[in-house]
Amino acid sequence: MITTDIEFCVEALTNGELVAFPTETVFGLGARADSALAVDKIFELKQRPKDHPLILHCSNIDIALAISPYIPDYAKSLAENFWPGPMTLIFKRALGDAVNDEAVGGHDTVAVRVPSHKIARALLEPCGFFVAAPSANRFGRVSPTKAEHVVQEFGDDLIVLDGEQSQVGLESTIISCVEDTPSILRFGAITNSDVLRVTNLESKPLTQRIAAPGTLENHYAPSIPLYLVENEAEIDGLTDIEIENASLIGGSESKRPFKLVKMVSTYEQYAHELYDFFRESEKIGCKAIVAIKPIAEGIGSAINDRLVKASNSKEEAK
Ligand code: TXA
Ligand code: MG
């Protein structure tokens, strides 16, 4: 059920029900993070393995940073500069803290985010608890960027708070703050150079492995095969596909007779449209998707990351 009634959604969350809600990155599937019962419903509905930790959301930066006693200075700079916004920070947990074990999948780290989306903030603000929320899609599928995408994933019984199409369109940048230097675990709208600019530190790979299943090789996958090309000319080399039954995203013009074409003039627009385009291609019966890869610059790196992961599922999708 899609609703615009924020009060109703706050009440539902408070009562331990699930509420999907818009954020500037993608739609989240929320539950109060302090209730194991509520959080369990997320794992059940998404069919997500229980040890995959969830991001905890709130509207207040100070409250977000109070979640852990282990906040390095560079994390404070990141928070000051990029919250509210499309960034998730991961901190070490203190023994016996107030964070719910179920919500963080039993891990000794915790991920938090303060979204900037107006409706998300209006929902989170009156909640006296963190809202645990993964992207509101079935496990391994494409994240939703519109309320109707969430309904496509889970049907009409779920409460979905309406909001316009997610502006960024890709999941938040995840930055681990558990070591002496920041480490970007998932690319997003906040880039490597943003991190360097405000912290004077280069993002480095972690010395220890921490669980971040979003880095799985075949996440974010549409149900039809995705082919990546560097430029328009390379399309002619795709001998497996019939252009008439395929869709194309990226680039600035195409004379080829694709069934669906989405031209983009900026990488921001590419990111904004990508997941909706995947779904639209599925819906109109395309047999394949072709994407022209952006250069790995700014949000182009995040787009490439999602494209590569989505195209890795090709064999399974067939
Ligand atoms: O933009 C976003 O981040 C959206 C919106 C709703 O906030 N959420 C989202 O959640 O993408 P999800 O669960 O689909 O992806 C979060 C990723 C997962 O790969 C999870 O493993 C990782 O973040 N993660 C969460 N908590 C973690 C933790 N404590 N340690 C390591 N990775 C963590
Ligand atoms: Mg997800």
Side-chain angles (χ1 to χ4, degrees):
M1 174 221 338
I2 298 181
T3 176
T4 54
D5 188 341
I6 294 179
E7 253 176 73
F8 169 74
C9 291
V10 172
E11 202 177 305
L13 282 174
T14 307
N15 292 335
E17 288 175 53
L18 298 182
V19 173
F21 61 98
T23 86
E24 69 278 19
T25 56
V26 299
F27 277 64
L29 179 64
R32 60 183 300 165
D34 59 355
S35 159
L37 276 178
V39 166
D40 252 7
K41 293 181 185 170
I42 294 180
F43 289 100
E44 206 156 291
L45 187 63
K46 269 198 76 140
Q47 302 189 333
R48 174 173 166 126
K50 286 247 178 149
D51 61 345
H52 285 211
L54 303 173
I55 297 171
L56 308 190
H57 299 73
C58 77
S59 64
N60 181 296
I61 298 176
D62 294 330
I63 294 176
L65 290 178
I67 201 162
S68 163
Y70 307 118
I71 313 280
D73 284 344
Y74 69 79
K76 288 180 193 148
S77 309
L78 290 170
E80 272 164 27
N81 282 278
F82 302 125
W83 274 347
M87 176 184 75
T88 296
L89 298 180
I90 295 183
F91 302 119
K92 257 191 281 187
R93 285 178 65 189
L95 221 57
D97 65 6
V99 178
N100 185 294
D101 272 343
E102 272 74 13
V104 298
H107 293 272
D108 57 0
T109 54
V110 58
V112 277
R113 174 155 110 84
V114 180
S116 63
H117 193 289
K118 256 208 190 120
I119 294 174
R121 298 182 63 72
L123 175 74
L124 295 170
E125 183 119 8
C127 292
F129 42 79
F130 283 94
V131 174
S135 50
N137 51 276
R138 281 173 288 133
F139 185 64
R141 285 268 303 149
V142 176
S143 296
T145 52
K146 291 179 175 174
E148 71 205 53
H149 296 167
V150 183
V151 177
Q152 284 166 17
E153 290 290 305
F154 297 120
D156 208 33
D157 285 348
L158 177 69
I159 301 169
V160 183
L161 180 55
D162 203 4
E164 64 194 27
Q165 185 169 355
S166 297
Q167 207 181 342
V168 175
L170 296 181
E171 303 79 0
S172 61
T173 304
I174 300 183
I175 306 174
S176 166
C177 304
V178 302
E179 296 189 348
D180 293 343
T181 49
S183 183
I184 298 184
L185 302 184
R186 181 173 73 183
F187 292 117
I190 304 300
T191 63
N192 247 318
S193 54
D194 291 326
V195 172
L196 178 62
R197 179 165 49 81
V198 308
T199 65
N200 278 323
L201 295 168
E202 292 268 5
S203 161
K204 290 213 178 112
L206 289 173
T207 57
Q208 302 163 304
R209 254 195 78 75
I210 71 167
T215 53
L216 283 177
E217 291 307 300
N218 61 354
H219 245 64
Y220 313 104
S223 59
I224 43 180
L226 169 68
Y227 294 83
L228 305 185
V229 292
E230 299 293 335
N231 51 52
E232 276 268 338
E234 274 189 15
I235 294 171
D236 295 331
L238 296 174
T239 46
D240 288 10
I241 66 165
E242 292 165 17
I243 299 282
E244 297 74 18
N245 288 319
S247 62
L248 173 71
I249 186 167
S252 48
E253 56 163 1
S254 179
K255 295 177 193 72
R256 295 171 180 80
F258 280 97
K259 194 176 175 87
L260 174 71
V261 175
K262 174 68 74 182
M263 292 297 137
V264 292
S265 47
T266 62
Y267 288 167
E268 280 71 23
Q269 188 198 348
Y270 200 144
H272 177 69
E273 303 274 6
L274 182 64
Y275 290 158
D276 184 53
F277 173 81
F278 281 170
R279 286 177 187 272
E280 190 59 26
S281 300
E282 291 172 343
K283 200 164 129 192
I284 64 168
C286 291
K287 300 279 187 295
I289 302 173
V290 181
I292 301 178
K293 285 175 72 181
I295 8 175
E297 204 178 82
I299 199 168
S301 301
I303 298 170
N304 271 335
D305 170 69
R306 306 309 193 275
L307 287 175
V308 168
K309 282 175 181 148
S311 70
N312 281 344
S313 305
K314 222 174 12 243
E315 294 314 312
E316 288 162 41
K318 276 180 185 166

